Amino acid sequence: MAKRSNDPCSTGKFSNEKQNRQTEFSARRQKIAQQRKSLPIASVEKRLIEEVQKNDILIIVGETGSGKTTQIPQFLFGAGFCRDGKVIGITQPRRVAAITVAKRVAEECGVELGQKVGYSVRFDDTTSSSTRIKYMTDGLLLREALLDPYLSKYSVIIVDEAHERTVHTDVLLALLKNVQSARSRSVADDQGVNFGKKIVNAGMSLEKEYGGQSSSFLKKDNHEKYAPLKLIIMSASLDAHTFSEYFGSAKSVHIQGRQFPVDIFYTCHLEEDYLDASLITIFQIHSKEGPGDILVFLTGQEEIESVEKLINNRLTQFPEGSQKLQVVPIFAALPSEQQLQVFAPAPSGFRKVILATNIAETSVTIPGVKYVIDPGFVKARSYDPGKDMESLIIVPTSKSQALQRSGRAGREGPGKCFRLYPESEFEKLEDSTKPEIKRCNLSNVILQLKALGVDDILGFDFIEKPSRILPFLNKFFQVPTNISELFSLGALTDDCQLSDPVGHQMAQLPLDPVYSKALILASQYNCLEDMLITVAMLFVESIFYAPREKQVEARIAIKCFSSPEGDHITLINVYRASNDFLEKRSIEMGKAKIEKAFKKWCKDNFISSRSLRHARDIHRQISVHAEQMGLNLASCGDDMLQYRRCLAASFFLNAAIKQPEGTYRALASGLVVQIHPSSVLFRQKPECIIFNELVQTNSKYVRNVSRIDYLWLTELAPQYYAVKN
Ligand SMILES: Nc1ncnc2c1ncn2[C@@H]1O[C@H](COP(=O)(O)OP(=O)(O)OP(=O)(O)O)[C@@H](O)[C@H]1O
């Protein structure tokens, strides 16, 4: 009896709490059901299903917030498209969208994430054998195609936000077109996917994947596997005509209406400093407008962090309580769990200001956002094939991006969007963003296509031929010995096939080819642990953080980690020191305290705790991959000679030799470059270096630089330098 009365489960307090929770839960479910019913798309459910049933390819265009991403998969599920265990796949250009939309749809369906509804993004898969509605990144579906060329588990694939025209989306569209016709044909006449050769995944051939049979096994057996595939191409601001033509005059349907209006405001004049204008607008909204969170679109981590600081500085100048603003950043180089913090509600009485890059531009709904501030710029990839130089440049957004951004307001009620440029400027913007495939280095795409078994890349059915594919392919075919990156890295054989095992292994790693190759080599050089750290640290924007007013202190602090051999070992030193710190503290304190202490340690050492956390996260993820591939996870410890030789063997394409006047000549491109002032080798100027990044400001600078012996180049990369000499 005594035990019973002490049992919290039997107390009135507990049952009240439980009851309250249940009431809250059913109120939320009712609200969600109501919201779903009032979406513009709800009234056309039946028609949409009929169109999908009638057409193998359907193009759906609808306003932002009309309900395409969250509702259409649920409609299709209800209409029986997941019968026989089939899956509806929905691709998104960005992982944050795939994750948050999947969570929302799981909630709408009243199921646990990973059951009926799940998501799968690079290194994070919540799906299970019961998942029927699967959100994922377009890159992930491409990787799935390596293992299952017919994408046989899918009955419908929806390519969402196709207007973004990322490289992955463009490659995926061509691939899906091919898979769809192969699946239809396979039912009729037993033909296979028309890619050319047998498809092999990183040393693990399909024979293995499909139980000892070759891919031709797919052609003959089990027709159910190739039941026709439905394709839906979807966007708010899509050039439906281009897509329809590409898919042989495919049917397109337009969903009219949006749930809530968004008022658009323009400035009277062009703003000279859009960061300053953003800051003023944030405080204007905060003081003059009603409740609602603010979403500000900036171009990158640096801008976001500087605006974050400016807001916080300003808040400290005002009396406590009158300026209740909570600032939360979101950008790609932020660890996943920190990115997701923008979706949590602000503390009671606070207004949230979300400082975001374009990763919050499409598909996502950030609850509470009512105001959007759009300065009208974005950081975009740009590639100069002549100089083989890829850079990120800040450019004006397109009209369609501006519409997407304004669409982030008005998702839960009427909203407002403040464009920080005059209306006349809006009219001058390009209608849509130039496809990424026309402005990026194509080595990665070619590697992926090769891995998918595409022999004829020139003849590959891209929606728009990459304008630069010709120079790329000319490099391959006219001078196949040593110029192209993929040949030089040994990923392709002389007859343009993926090499075995290196090319296949490289295609399996979700990294740029040069970094994949570095990991594979490091496995042979017994320094993979160290190279994994290097690749993870190079992935994030900047590890060291030196405020303008504390440059001297920062330089002294950074010196503790500096290696005379260069930035790569310096980065490893930082990483190892953070390991030591965390290991020691985890014995002494709990999780929350460690986090606080870690932040302080970073601050004291002028390290960006965000970047370091992100690097640690990436390190964990790629280590899993390396382990699964059976690479040799050894560390060279303190003997860094082997590691530096591995750096030279990996990044030989980025080697440079000192010139008499102190500049460097990059050996591959012939460009004259200088060591960036942020490098630990800025003053030392060694004879021969390798670098990882070329940055163009007023001069050409190289960053992430290490000293090497130039004799290593001919010894370790004879395929390149022996011929060159
Ligand atoms: N995580 C969420 N929290 C609250 N409401 C949400 C959430 N996700 C979606 N919604 C609601 O569902 C509506 C439809 O969202 P959905 O993403 O399906 O629209 P969409 O037509 O695909 O828009 P977009 O083209 O902008 O992605 C939103 O406007 C919002 O009201």
Side-chain angles (χ1 to χ4, degrees):
M1 283 296 281
K3 190 167 184 269
R4 261 194 129 199
S5 62
N6 282 339
D7 182 354
C9 297
S10 69
T11 63
K13 184 172 171 260
F14 180 80
S15 44
N16 277 348
E17 268 174 23
K18 196 172 165 191
Q19 215 166 12
N20 288 346
R21 269 208 305 273
Q22 265 168 356
T23 321
E24 246 173 58
F25 179 72
S26 52
R28 178 148 174 89
R29 287 205 49 79
Q30 249 177 352
K31 190 179 156 203
I32 286 178
Q34 205 59 43
Q35 275 177 341
R36 289 189 62 199
K37 261 194 225 148
S38 61
L39 287 171
I41 208 162
S43 58
V44 290
E45 173 174 358
K46 201 161 155 261
R47 199 189 127 210
L48 274 176
I49 295 298
E50 281 166 10
E51 292 293 0
V52 178
Q53 274 156 348
K54 273 194 286 189
N55 299 285
D56 283 344
I57 302 168
L58 190 66
I59 291 150
I60 301 180
V61 185
E63 288 223 34
T64 56
S66 55
K68 302 176 297 299
T69 314
T70 52
Q71 305 309 306
I72 291 178
Q74 295 185 68
F75 296 167
L76 294 170
F77 180 88
F81 279 90
C82 295
R83 250 181 253 126
D84 310 325
K86 288 278 187 280
V87 176
I88 299 164
I90 311 100
T91 70
Q92 295 289 328
R94 301 205 176 82
R95 52 189 281 141
V96 68
I99 296 172
T100 56
V101 174
K103 284 184 177 167
R104 167 72 180 186
V105 175
E107 192 185 12
E108 288 186 6
C109 296
V111 297
E112 236 172 72
L113 188 69
Q115 293 303 305
K116 177 175 138 189
V117 184
Y119 69 80
S120 187
V121 297
R122 187 162 66 155
F123 309 127
D124 187 4
D125 183 5
T126 64
T127 58
S128 64
S129 54
S130 348
T131 303
R132 295 292 167 264
I133 298 179
K134 174 172 170 181
Y135 289 88
M136 66 200 130
T137 49
D138 39 19
L140 195 114
L141 188 60
L142 278 177
R143 290 204 166 267
E144 273 190 20
L146 289 173
L147 295 173
D148 176 8
Y150 292 95
L151 296 169
S152 53
K153 73 174 177 205
Y154 297 99
S155 56
V156 186
I157 290 177
I158 303 176
V159 180
D160 199 6
E161 310 299 351
H163 76 279
E164 282 215 26
R165 300 290 305 277
T166 62
V167 175
H168 282 151
T169 302
D170 274 17
V171 175
L172 192 60
L173 288 174
L175 177 88
L176 290 173
K177 195 176 173 184
N178 218 323
V179 170
Q180 187 181 52
S181 68
R183 270 173 56 169
S184 307
R185 276 202 319 267
S186 76
V187 180
D189 62 22
D190 260 7
Q191 292 204 19
V193 181
N194 186 23
F195 290 150
K197 292 268 159 74
K198 181 184 78 176
I199 298 166
V200 184
N201 176 43
M204 179 171 56
S205 69
L206 282 174
E207 282 94 313
K208 237 183 191 166
E209 281 296 299
Y210 288 93
Q213 312 241 14
S214 79
S215 55
S216 60
F217 157 70
L218 284 174
K219 296 175 205 162
K220 292 184 187 121
D221 199 19
N222 194 2
H223 279 185
E224 207 188 342
K225 270 199 165 154
Y226 325 119
L229 172 70
K230 296 277 181 189
L231 283 185
I232 299 178
I233 316 298
M234 213 154 72
S235 171
S237 37
L238 178 100
D239 181 0
H241 182 68
T242 313
F243 285 86
S244 169
E245 251 182 22
Y246 177 63
F247 284 105
S249 307
K251 174 97 190 254
S252 64
V253 292
H254 292 247
I255 298 160
Q256 299 300 330
R258 52 177 308 129
Q259 206 180 0
F260 302 106
V262 177
D263 290 334
I264 310 282
F265 299 89
Y266 293 93
T267 56
C268 300
H269 309 286
L270 272 175
E271 295 295 328
E272 263 176 34
D273 180 346
Y274 64 79
L275 294 187
D276 191 46
S278 305
L279 195 71
I280 293 169
T281 314
I282 291 168
F283 281 95
Q284 260 176 7
I285 293 173
H286 188 47
S287 60
K288 298 209 172 95
E289 300 283 346
D293 296 336
I294 305 170
L295 172 61
V296 191
F297 285 100
L298 299 168
T299 68
Q301 178 176 355
E302 271 176 27
E303 271 186 21
I304 287 178
E305 289 183 337
S306 90
V307 171
E308 185 178 8
K309 228 194 221 127
L310 290 170
I311 298 175
N312 287 330
N313 283 348
R314 204 163 154 173
L315 290 177
T316 53
Q317 290 165 12
F318 289 88
E320 183 87 48
S322 65
Q323 297 282 331
K324 288 187 164 177
L325 279 182
Q326 185 204 25
V327 187
V328 266
I330 177 165
F331 44 87
L334 207 57
S336 255
E337 75 260 29
Q338 279 188 41
Q339 287 184 349
L340 297 178
Q341 275 173 13
V342 306
F343 296 88
S348 161
F350 274 73
R351 192 199 292 273
K352 195 164 56 171
V353 180
I354 300 138
L355 305 177
T357 58
N358 58 346
I359 74 167
E361 192 173 280
T362 47
S363 271
V364 295
T365 298
I366 304 179
V369 168
K370 194 169 172 163
Y371 307 101
V372 164
I373 300 176
D374 177 11
F377 290 97
V378 66
K379 212 185 255 181
R381 279 215 270 180
S382 158
Y383 179 68
D384 181 340
K387 296 175 187 143
D388 195 17
M389 195 165 116
E390 192 172 66
S391 48
L392 284 168
I393 49 172
I394 295 176
V395 292
T397 56
S398 62
K399 279 193 186 123
S400 94
Q401 282 177 303
L403 292 175
Q404 286 290 337
R405 289 179 176 192
S406 56
R408 298 312 110 196
R411 298 185 67 94
E412 295 175 313
K416 291 184 180 178
C417 174
F418 298 86
R419 293 190 180 142
L420 303 182
Y421 48 87
E423 192 166 5
S424 54
E425 291 299 308
F426 177 80
E427 297 308 329
K428 291 183 203 157
L429 297 177
E430 297 282 342
D431 284 345
S432 49
T433 315
K434 193 172 175 186
E436 198 181 17
I437 207 156
K438 290 193 169 251
R439 52 186 169 85
C440 74
N441 180 329
L442 290 174
S443 304
N444 217 349
V445 177
I446 293 171
L447 188 65
Q448 284 209 350
L449 290 175
K450 284 280 162 195
L452 285 164
V454 178
D455 272 347
D456 179 12
I457 290 177
L458 203 56
F460 191 58
D461 187 12
F462 285 111
I463 183 160
E464 260 173 87
K465 285 251 178 296
S467 48
R468 288 167 186 135
I469 200 154
L470 275 172
F472 267 91
L473 290 171
N474 284 344
K475 278 181 183 182
F476 285 168
F477 298 126
Q478 288 174 8
V479 203
T481 39
N482 60 1
I483 297 181
S484 130
E485 183 181 78
L486 292 177
F487 280 112
S488 308
L489 294 174
L492 295 181
T493 57
D494 280 351
D495 57 349
C496 246
Q497 301 302 315
L498 219 50
S499 65
D500 203 9
V502 171
H504 292 292
Q505 283 181 320
M506 283 171 67
Q508 198 185 25
L509 281 160
L511 299 168
D512 275 350
V514 69
Y515 295 112
S516 303
K517 180 68 190 291
L519 295 186
I520 293 161
L521 278 177
S523 171
Q524 294 157 16
Y525 279 72
N526 288 322
C527 59
L528 180 56
E529 279 288 4
D530 314 283
M531 194 59 84
L532 282 166
I533 294 176
T534 310
V535 172
M537 293 291 258
L538 292 175
F539 220 88
V540 297
E541 214 164 279
S542 45
I543 284 289
F544 292 111
Y545 170 73
R548 223 171 283 153
E549 66 285 3
K550 288 190 177 168
Q551 293 285 330
V552 179
E553 292 99 313
R555 215 169 297 138
I556 296 168
I558 292 166
K559 259 209 172 117
C560 304
F561 305 103
S562 287
S563 158
E565 308 301 350
D567 300 314
H568 297 85
I569 299 184
T570 303
L571 290 174
I572 292 180
N573 290 343
V574 171
Y575 195 95
R576 286 181 179 169
S578 74
N579 270 353
D580 289 346
F581 177 85
L582 288 170
E583 263 165 35
K584 235 189 252 158
R585 294 304 182 283
S586 66
I587 299 167
E588 295 164 10
M589 27 173 107
K591 208 173 168 194
K593 279 192 178 162
I594 295 180
E595 190 52 42
K596 214 168 150 197
F598 178 71
K599 277 195 179 147
K600 182 170 181 315
W601 179 82
C602 288
K603 197 166 172 217
D604 293 346
N605 288 293
F606 294 88
I607 290 166
S608 157
S609 61
R610 257 182 214 151
S611 298
L612 185 52
R613 273 265 174 244
H614 188 42
R616 295 181 66 82
D617 194 30
I618 292 170
H619 176 264
R620 185 180 47 76
Q621 296 172 17
I622 43 181
S623 300
V624 172
H625 257 259
E627 207 174 325
Q628 281 170 353
M629 284 170 64
L631 297 181
N632 162 29
L633 276 169
S635 165
C636 53
D638 291 332
D639 173 16
M640 296 310 268
L641 180 65
Q642 193 63 346
Y643 167 78
R644 283 172 52 228
R645 283 171 60 81
C646 185
L647 279 183
S650 307
F651 304 129
F652 63 87
L653 285 170
N654 286 344
I657 295 273
K658 192 161 85 174
Q659 312 260 81
E661 72 279 12
T663 57
Y664 285 80
R665 190 166 56 84
L667 293 176
S669 61
L671 286 177
V672 174
V673 297
Q674 298 178 51
I675 296 183
H676 195 270
S678 65
S679 168
V680 297
L681 295 182
F682 176 59
R683 282 172 216 288
Q684 295 184 24
K685 297 206 175 8
E687 285 307 312
C688 185
I689 55 170
I690 53 97
F691 59 89
N692 281 106
E693 205 185 335
L694 186 59
V695 197
Q696 168 115 37
T697 52
N698 42 354
S699 310
K700 292 181 184 70
Y701 287 106
V702 291
R703 290 207 320 200
N704 297 317
V705 178
S706 275
R707 172 201 305 269
I708 59 160
D709 184 332
Y710 74 91
L711 290 176
W712 292 349
L713 292 174
T714 40
E715 180 197 338
L716 303 175
Q719 75 282 18
Y720 194 79
Y721 287 100
V723 182
K724 198 115 183 148
N725 281 346

